[in-house]
């Protein structure tokens, strides 16, 4: 392992502590021993292990002498493989990165220990409200209400839905600095740049695939001017006092959505909030969805996998 350790230290350039380098080295040695039943004698053998993706995947996830690795150990080994891959200049970062993400989901699922409780709104209630609003979507107000509630009821977004701006694809592409603004592009794509998004989790562009929502948005946008807010103006009379910033406007819009939603739910005899609906959506995905759907919902919310599981998914 001496050659490997020297290269690891050289490539590290002071980014990691020696204790972290020791963990990486020990992980690689142990994994090699698990895969080939001996310690590596030469650095080329380690590189071969990293390149032999199929065999290495099998070593990570299959029992050896009846013993399986824990999910945490598999994650630690996979992280070390990613570092070794970069160190050798190989091209398997995407493959090992996908495995790392899948393992994060599996570990979060296994560690899901929320108190046993029901969400404040259930699937039957949510579907009933959606059905009622669809029947009532005859006027401009009815169409707006149905379109807005569909987004809340189908996507685990934050209250930034209230801050969406109606924009064409061309105008959207022409904006060099989108700042903290959030957009509905051509009525077909959500693009979020603000509110707990770009500072920590990166921006999100999410194509709309739900046909009912696309149709509702198309009808609603007929009464919304381009470059205008889709659902809430951000002030009572549509004008803003001097010095009002986009952040302050968005804060008002988020509050408007929160109040609007609570009143709407109360009319249907449901005492819940936007967060309660999100918990229902994420709980359902965590109970029955695929790994990719769990990752997608966490990304849509702007969360990592563990937060989505521990905070938003209620117990099975």
């Amino acid at each position: 392992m001496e050659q490997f350790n020297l290269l690891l230290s050289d490539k590290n350039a002071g980014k990691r502590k020696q204790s972290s380098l020791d963990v990486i080295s020990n992980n690689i040695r142990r994994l090699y021993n698990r895969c080939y039943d001996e310690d590596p004698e030469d650095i080329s053998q380690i590189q071969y292990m990293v390149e032999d993706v199929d065999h290495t995947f099998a070593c990570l996830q299959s029992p050896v002498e009846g013993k399986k690795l824990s999910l945490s150990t598999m994650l630690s080994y996979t992280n070390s493989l990613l570092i070794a891959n970069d160190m050798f200049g190989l091209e398997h970062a995407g493959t090992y990165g996908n495995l790392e993400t899948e393992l994060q989901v599996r570990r979060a699922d296994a560690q899901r220990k929320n108190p046993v409780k029901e969400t404040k709104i259930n699937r039957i209630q949510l579907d009933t409200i959606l059905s009622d609003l669809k029947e009532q979507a005859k006027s401009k107000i009815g169409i707006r209400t149905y379109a807005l509630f569909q987004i809340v009821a189908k996507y685990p977004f934050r209250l930034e839905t209230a801050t969406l701006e109606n924009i064409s694809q061309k105008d959207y592409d022409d904006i060099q600095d989108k700042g903290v603004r959030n957009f509905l592009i051509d009525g077909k794509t959500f693009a979020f740049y603000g509110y707990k998004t770009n500072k920590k989790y990166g921006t999100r562009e999410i194509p709309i695939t739900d046909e009912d929502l696309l149709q509702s948005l198309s009808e609603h946008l007929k009464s919304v001017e381009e470059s205008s807010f889709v659902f809430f103006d951000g002030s009572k009379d549509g004008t803003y006092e001097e010095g009002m910033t986009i952040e302050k406007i968005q804060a008002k819009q988020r509050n408007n959505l929160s109040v609007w939603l609570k009143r709407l739910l109360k009319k249907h005899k449901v005492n819940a909030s936007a967060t309660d609906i999100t918990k229902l959506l994420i709980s359902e995905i965590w109970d029955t969805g695929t790994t990719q759907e769990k990752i997608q919902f966490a990304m849509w919310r702007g969360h990592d996998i563990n937060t989505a599981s521990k905070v938003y998914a209620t117990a099975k």
Side-chain angles (χ1 to χ4, degrees):
M1 294 294 296
E2 185 177 351
Q3 291 174 301
F4 179 85
N5 292 337
L6 287 171
L7 182 59
L8 179 63
S9 179
D10 181 58
K11 295 288 186 179
N12 182 57
K15 290 185 292 184
R16 298 181 181 89
K17 295 180 180 179
Q18 185 58 48
S19 58
S20 298
L21 298 181
D22 292 342
V23 169
I24 295 166
S25 177
N26 285 331
N27 281 346
I28 293 296
R29 179 183 59 80
R30 289 169 181 158
L31 180 58
Y32 189 92
N33 198 292
R34 182 180 179 84
C35 290
Y36 302 102
D37 201 27
E38 63 180 4
D39 286 345
E41 295 181 358
D42 187 81
I43 193 172
S44 62
Q45 293 174 293
I46 296 174
Q47 181 171 338
Y48 177 81
M49 178 183 71
V50 179
E51 289 183 292
D52 193 4
V53 174
D54 291 340
H55 182 240
T56 303
F57 266 42
C59 291
L60 277 167
Q61 301 183 79
S62 302
V64 173
E65 296 181 355
K67 295 181 179 180
K68 289 193 70 174
L69 296 173
S70 70
L71 289 169
S72 292
T73 300
M74 279 194 275
L75 262 171
S76 184
Y77 283 5
T78 303
N79 182 258
S80 296
L81 283 166
L82 275 165
I83 293 168
N85 176 86
D86 292 344
M87 189 177 78
F88 290 129
L90 303 176
E91 299 179 351
H92 305 297
T95 304
Y96 286 120
N98 289 339
L99 176 61
E100 183 180 47
T101 303
E102 181 178 340
L103 289 171
Q104 287 174 342
V105 173
R106 287 161 58 183
R107 185 177 67 174
D109 200 18
Q111 293 176 343
R112 190 170 154 193
K113 297 177 181 178
N114 281 3
V116 177
K117 61 181 180 181
E118 293 183 357
T119 52
K120 292 183 180 179
I121 183 169
N122 59 46
R123 171 50 59 184
I124 293 174
Q125 291 171 320
L126 191 64
D127 286 345
T128 298
I129 295 171
L130 280 167
S131 179
D132 289 347
L133 295 180
K134 185 174 184 178
E135 287 294 319
Q136 298 164 15
K138 314 290 185 191
S139 63
K140 285 184 180 180
I141 293 177
I143 292 169
R144 171 188 177 275
T145 298
Y146 183 45
L148 179 53
F149 189 75
Q150 278 191 88
I151 299 174
V152 174
K154 295 177 180 181
Y155 294 86
F157 296 155
R158 302 170 187 272
L159 293 173
E160 71 264 47
T161 298
T163 69
L164 290 168
E165 299 177 44
N166 181 31
I167 197 168
S168 68
Q169 184 69 59
K170 180 183 182 303
D171 288 346
Y172 174 78
D173 292 339
D174 286 343
I175 299 175
Q176 297 299 314
D177 181 9
K178 297 176 176 67
V180 296
R181 298 166 67 186
N182 301 311
F183 305 92
L184 176 62
I185 308 169
D186 286 339
K188 297 178 181 179
T189 303
F190 300 117
F192 295 109
Y193 285 80
Y195 189 45
K196 296 185 179 179
T197 304
N198 57 342
K199 291 182 180 178
K200 185 171 182 181
Y201 299 106
T203 57
R204 294 169 286 160
E205 291 189 14
I206 302 162
I208 302 170
T209 58
D210 186 283
E211 290 297 329
D212 204 12
L213 176 56
L214 285 169
Q215 182 177 349
S216 299
L217 286 172
S218 177
E219 288 297 315
H220 173 57
L221 290 176
K222 290 177 181 178
S223 59
V224 178
E225 294 183 7
E226 197 166 300
S227 300
S228 297
F229 289 112
V230 177
F231 295 113
F232 296 96
D233 287 334
S235 68
K236 289 184 179 180
D237 58 4
T239 61
Y240 313 107
E241 59 266 30
E242 187 176 350
M244 179 67 83
T245 64
I246 185 65
E247 289 86 356
K248 290 181 179 179
I249 292 171
Q250 289 178 338
K252 286 188 175 183
Q253 290 170 321
R254 293 195 297 270
N255 183 67
N256 287 343
L257 175 56
S258 178
V259 172
W260 175 90
L261 182 59
K262 286 183 179 179
R263 288 175 178 171
L264 176 66
L265 293 173
K266 195 171 182 179
K267 285 182 181 179
H268 290 80
K269 299 181 179 180
V270 176
N271 183 24
S273 66
T275 300
D276 296 316
I277 294 176
T278 295
K279 287 185 176 182
L280 172 65
L281 298 178
I282 294 181
S283 295
E284 289 177 336
I285 284 294
W286 219 264
D287 284 341
T288 62
T290 64
T291 295
Q292 288 305 312
E293 286 172 328
K294 294 174 185 178
I295 295 169
Q296 183 182 64
F297 262 55
M299 181 273 290
W300 282 353
R301 180 71 181 177
H303 275 154
D304 60 32
I305 299 301
N306 286 329
T307 301
S309 172
K310 292 178 182 179
V311 178
Y312 284 85
T314 56
K316 298 178 183 178

